[in-house]
C-alpha cells in the first residue's frame, strides 16, 4: 500500500489488522528534519537494547552517539502513527544500490502490521528506481523475519551482523502480513 507521495509529502495509510492487533494503525511518512534527531536517538536505544545486550554490545552512550554522528535527514522518513512520532526509516543511495537503514518502530506498535506497511512503501520506491536494496540486521534479531518476508536474502554474515539484499521487484510473502 502506498502511503507517501515522496520526499516531504505525505498521504494517509493504514496498517492491516493482524492476529495481535486491537485496531488498525493509521500512519503517514514525512521527511525528517534536523530536530528529529533526539527522538530517534531515544527510540533507537530502546529498540536496539535487547539485541545489543544479548550480543554483549550495548553501551548506553555509544548507542545514542553513533546515530547522532551518522544522522542524514535528507535520506530519512519519520513514521507518524495516529499523528504521533512512531519511528523512522532511511533509504540511503549508494553507488550500485540503496541501503535500508535506521528502521525503528515504537515497541507498542510492533507486531500490528505497521512495519510491513512502511517497508512495502519504502521498497516500492526502490523498485521504481530499479536498484538493489541492502541492509544489515543484528544476529538473532526478530526483524530478520520481516525482511525475509519482503524478499531479502542473506548475502553474508558475521558473529554480529547479517547482511541482506533484495533485488528490484523481488517476490514478497508480505501480502496481508501483520508483523512489524
Amino acid at each position: 500500500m502506498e502511503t507517501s507521495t515522496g520526499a516531504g509529502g505525505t498521504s494517509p495509510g493504514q496498517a492491516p489488522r493482524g492476529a495481535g492487533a486491537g485496531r488498525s494503525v493509521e500512519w503517514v511518512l514525512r521527511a525528517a528534519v534536523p530536530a528529529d534527531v533526539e527522538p530517534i536517538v531515544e527510540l533507537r536505544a530502546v529498540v536496539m537494547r535487547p539485541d545489543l545486550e544479548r550480543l554483549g554490545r550495548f553501551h548506553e552512550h555509544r548507542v545514542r552517539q553513533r546515530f547522532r554522528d551518522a544522522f542524514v535527514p535528507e535520506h530519512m522518513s519519520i513514521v507518524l502513527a495516529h499523528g504521533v512520532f512512531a519511528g523512522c526509516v532511511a533509504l540511503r543511495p549508494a553507488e550500485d544500490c540503496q541501503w535500508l537503514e535506521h528502521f525503528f518502530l515504537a515497541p507498542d506498535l510492533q507486531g500490528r502490521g505497521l512495519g510491513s506497511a512502511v517497508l512495502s512503501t519504502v521498497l516500492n520506491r526502490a523498485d521504481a528506481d530499479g536498484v538493489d536494496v541492502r541492509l544489515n540486521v543484528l544476529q538473532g534479531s526478530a526483524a530478520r523475519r520481516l525482511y525475509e518476508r519482503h524478499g531479502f536474502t542473506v548475502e553474508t554474515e558475521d558473529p554480529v551482523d547479517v547482511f541482506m539484499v533484495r533485488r528490484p521487484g523481488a517476490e514478497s510473502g508480505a501480502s496481508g502480513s501483520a508483523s512489524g
Side-chain angles (χ1 to χ4, degrees):
M1 151 186 346
E2 186 69 26
T3 60
S4 177
T5 59
T10 59
S11 62
Q14 202 168 60
R17 288 186 179 174
R23 63 188 171 120
S24 60
V25 179
E26 294 179 13
W27 64 280
V28 296
L29 291 177
R30 70 156 171 83
V33 296
D36 290 320
V37 70
E38 289 307 314
I40 297 169
V41 161
E42 292 309 313
L43 179 61
R44 179 180 195 267
V46 168
V47 170
M48 292 190 68
R49 185 177 193 135
D51 285 331
L52 289 172
E53 284 180 338
R54 181 179 39 77
L55 294 168
R57 300 181 63 86
F58 183 79
H59 297 282
E60 195 74 42
H61 174 74
R62 187 170 65 191
V63 71
R64 291 168 170 83
Q65 194 58 46
R66 284 188 68 183
F67 183 82
R68 287 182 189 111
D69 293 344
F71 182 54
V72 179
E74 293 79 14
H75 303 305
M76 181 161 290
S77 295
I78 300 300
V79 180
L80 300 174
H82 303 290
V84 178
F85 173 78
C88 59
V89 62
L91 196 58
R92 178 180 53 84
E95 187 175 318
D96 63 345
C97 68
Q98 293 182 356
W99 280 89
L100 180 71
E101 300 174 319
H102 311 300
F103 188 16
F104 309 119
L105 292 176
D108 63 322
L109 293 171
Q110 294 176 14
R112 297 177 58 191
L114 180 57
S116 286
V118 170
L119 187 56
S120 290
T121 297
V122 171
L123 293 175
N124 286 340
R125 291 178 185 172
D127 286 351
D129 293 339
V131 297
D132 292 350
V133 177
R134 287 191 161 73
L135 62 81
N136 67 294
V137 62
L138 292 171
Q139 285 284 2
S141 173
R144 178 176 171 173
R145 290 187 305 276
L146 171 68
Y147 299 132
E148 288 171 339
R149 285 192 307 270
H150 284 270
F152 283 88
T153 58
V154 174
E155 273 193 309
T156 62
E157 52 189 302
D158 62 34
V160 175
D161 292 303
V162 178
F163 294 88
M164 304 180 82
V165 64
R166 181 184 179 275
R167 306 292 178 214
E171 286 299 311
S172 169
S175 299
S177 173
S179 296

